[in-house]
Amino acid sequence: MINKYSLAAVMLFTVLGAFVSWWATDNYWHQKWTARELETAKAQVAQQQSMRRMEKASSTTLAKIDHSQYQELQDAQKDIADLRNAVSSGTRRLQQCQQQANRKGNQSGQSTRMGDNGQTVNAASTGQTEQDILDLGEYAVTAIKQRDACVDAYQQTQQILNH
């Protein structure tokens, strides 16, 4: 009988030892996985917060640049509109460059230009040349202001990303 009790005790301790061993190993790895998941979650939250800070800084900076560039563009367009009105009313005249080719073909001494249909038109009589010059100036100012806004936005974005 002692052999039966000994065998039963050994079997019981073996099963109990296996269970305790399995429980300890499972508990150990469960804690490791939980810690790793926690670290991953913290890293993701930190990355998202960093991205939000950069987006907020970038949008704030771009809004400031957009506002200042838009204001400068509006001021320049107002100046051009004032100049256009002054030229139209005759209180101000624009100086026109005359090339040698225009002087040879024009005996009256007035500047000439090519009309829409390809014929030479007397520019002094229409006043259209001054308006064309103002149109070109307005296009140039607009293009320059847009380019400056893009350059400022790019530089600010690079500066935000580098920090």
Side-chain angles (χ1 to χ4, degrees), residues 96 98 102 105-106 108 110-114 120-124 129:
Q96 299 176 24
Q98 295 179 347
N102 285 342
N106 186 2
S108 66
Q110 296 176 335
S111 65
T112 59
R113 68 176 181 90
M114 294 299 288
T120 303
V121 178
N122 188 348
T129 302

Side-chain angles (χ1 to χ4, degrees), residues 7-153:
L7 185 61
V10 168
M11 292 277 283
L12 180 66
F13 285 125
T14 303
V15 170
L16 188 60
F19 177 73
V20 170
S21 175
W22 172 81
W23 177 81
T25 304
D26 183 55
N27 193 28
Y28 171 78
W29 286 109
H30 187 326
Q31 288 177 357
K32 283 266 194 192
W33 288 329
T34 304
R36 176 173 275 166
E37 288 173 355
L38 183 61
E39 286 178 24
T40 304
K42 285 181 181 179
Q44 287 175 345
V45 167
Q47 183 181 15
Q48 288 173 350
Q49 289 174 343
S50 174
M51 291 298 291
R52 284 189 195 123
R53 272 186 263 121
M54 282 194 285
E55 287 173 357
K56 185 177 179 181
S58 177
S59 65
T60 303
T61 303
L62 290 176
K64 288 178 185 177
I65 290 170
D66 185 47
H67 179 70
S68 68
Q69 293 293 331
Y70 181 76
Q71 188 63 40
E72 288 179 20
L73 179 61
Q74 291 298 316
D75 293 344
Q77 287 176 340
K78 182 184 176 292
D79 292 343
I80 290 172
D82 292 344
L83 184 59
R84 190 182 302 270
N85 290 335
V87 168
S88 294
S89 67
T91 58
R92 186 174 251 180
R93 295 195 41 98
L94 296 179
Q95 183 178 4
Q96 299 176 24
C97 297
Q98 295 179 347
Q99 295 179 348
Q100 189 65 21
N102 285 342
R103 289 185 188 158
K104 287 182 182 176
N106 186 2
Q107 302 298 340
S108 66
Q110 296 176 335
S111 65
T112 59
R113 68 176 181 90
M114 294 299 288
D116 293 337
N117 58 2
Q119 296 177 346
T120 303
V121 178
N122 188 348
S125 64
T126 64
Q128 185 62 36
T129 302
E130 289 89 357
Q131 295 302 324
D132 291 343
I133 291 170
L134 291 172
D135 287 342
L136 287 173
E138 187 173 9
Y139 295 144
V141 166
T142 302
I144 290 169
K145 293 297 179 188
Q146 289 173 343
R147 185 213 57 205
D148 290 347
C150 289
V151 168
D152 287 347

Side-chain angles (χ1 to χ4, degrees), residues 58 61-62 65 152-162:
S58 177
T61 303
L62 290 176
I65 290 170
D152 287 347
Y154 174 77
Q155 288 173 345
Q156 291 298 323
T157 302
Q158 290 300 314
Q159 193 175 41
I160 289 169
L161 291 176
N162 290 335

